[in-house]
Amino acid sequence: MDTRTKQKHLRAVRLLMHALEGHRSSLPAGKPINAVLSEGMAAAQALGFDLMAGEARAVAGRAVVVGRGVEALYSGPAYLPPSCGIERSLPNGDA
């Protein structure tokens, strides 16, 4: 999002906050309260989506695959408990 658009959205969110706090004198003259509320909520949502997109890009740059993933944690001899005898007589999958 470019700087001018971000500033426009921030002004709309500030007007929304003034309306919610009951500061009617801070609102533009002749503008209905429902227009201030709807524009402010849309601007807050746009700013939030921009923030989430930036965070997703940052996380994508940090993602690193180590080992074989989750399968490596729960497979192999380190995870399996030692057998005590009865498991050897059962078919695979039932122990």
Side-chain angles (χ1 to χ4, degrees):
M1 177 180 303
D2 65 339
T3 307
R4 290 177 53 193
T5 304
K6 188 173 185 175
Q7 292 302 321
K8 181 183 89 169
H9 288 321
L10 287 172
R11 278 193 300 276
V13 172
R14 279 189 209 102
L15 285 177
L16 171 67
M17 291 305 299
H18 285 300
L20 293 175
E21 291 171 348
H23 304 150
R24 306 284 175 152
S25 61
S26 301
L27 301 178
K31 192 165 196 174
I33 190 74
N34 59 350
V36 171
L37 293 175
S38 65
E39 290 171 8
M41 287 188 290
Q45 191 173 22
L47 288 170
F49 285 148
D50 187 51
L51 184 66
M52 289 186 330
E55 182 66 22
R57 284 190 300 271
V59 168
R62 290 181 289 190
V64 176
V65 177
V66 178
R68 297 180 321 205
V70 177
E71 300 87 26
L73 295 175
Y74 298 106
S75 65
Y79 176 70
L80 298 175
S83 62
C84 62
I86 187 72
E87 292 88 2
R88 294 181 185 160
S89 65
L90 296 174
N92 285 342
D94 292 339

